[in-house]
Amino acid sequence: MSGYLTTHVLDTARGCPAVGLEVELYNIDGKLRRQLCSAMTNADGRTDEPMLAEDEFAVGVYELVFHVGHYFQKSGLDFDELAEDAPLFLDAIPIRFGLALPRHYHVPLLLSPFGYSTYRGSCYINAWWVKAMIFTVCQAEVNARGSRLAGMRN
């Protein structure tokens, strides 16, 4: 499996995907910062294509820059800080991260006009982990049924 990078932006202030938000991807090599691509989020708050495709994947340090200022100014939210002539609390959000293995990396952004959060999302799951989870769920169901049957006997 080759690696690739996706992103997803959710507007927590409005409770919906962030549609029409510009996202840029950079490769970081020491002090060099090279832009790889730019994309706009779609109706689902995702980019139509991976930000870093499988055939472009390389281990290294990357940076996603989310241009949230313009998005919030056109969002219809009514905050004085979002006025056209006011300086924005958040304008561009850079997130720098490392890709160490060839797998699917997902870097979502949860945002509001005054704060944001991110985390490492989807990634490669080993088959042993899936089998262990299925066993755990099945065992929990067996235990639950056993408890119900024991209660019916009393």
Side-chain angles (χ1 to χ4, degrees):
M1 176 175 142
S2 295
Y4 62 103
L5 171 67
T6 57
T7 190
H8 188 194
V9 186
L10 297 173
D11 180 340
T12 59
R14 298 187 320 155
C16 62
V19 179
L21 190 145
E22 182 184 4
V23 183
E24 296 172 328
L25 176 65
Y26 293 86
N27 176 258
I28 308 299
D29 186 8
K31 293 185 185 254
L32 297 175
R33 183 175 181 252
R34 182 175 55 97
Q35 185 174 355
L36 301 177
C37 69
S38 178
M40 298 292 277
T41 56
N42 59 25
D44 194 32
R46 301 173 188 272
T47 56
D48 290 331
E49 300 292 327
M51 293 299 291
L52 187 62
E54 290 183 65
D55 61 341
E56 300 168 332
F57 182 89
V59 169
V61 178
Y62 294 86
E63 182 177 88
L64 283 169
V65 179
F66 298 88
H67 294 278
V68 301
H70 180 70
Y71 166 79
F72 277 123
Q73 284 178 326
K74 65 179 183 165
S75 70
L77 290 174
D78 189 22
F79 294 110
D80 291 339
E81 293 91 343
L82 295 177
E84 290 283 333
D85 57 344
L88 298 169
F89 182 70
L90 293 174
D91 187 26
I93 299 173
I95 299 174
R96 192 168 287 191
F97 52 92
L99 304 181
L101 299 169
R103 56 177 54 161
H104 177 198
Y105 288 87
H106 185 68
V107 180
L109 181 70
L110 308 176
L111 73 137
S112 77
F114 308 109
Y116 65 92
S117 176
T118 190
Y119 55 94
R120 179 179 168 185
S122 303
C123 64
Y124 176 75
I125 299 174
N126 289 326
W128 69 263
W129 185 85
V130 172
K131 289 176 186 174
M133 291 306 298
I134 291 170
F135 175 78
T136 302
V137 170
C138 290
Q139 190 61 47
E141 181 64 23
V142 167
N143 291 344
R145 286 183 183 179
S147 295
R148 285 195 299 267
L149 289 174
M152 291 174 15
R153 287 186 205 131
N154 295 334

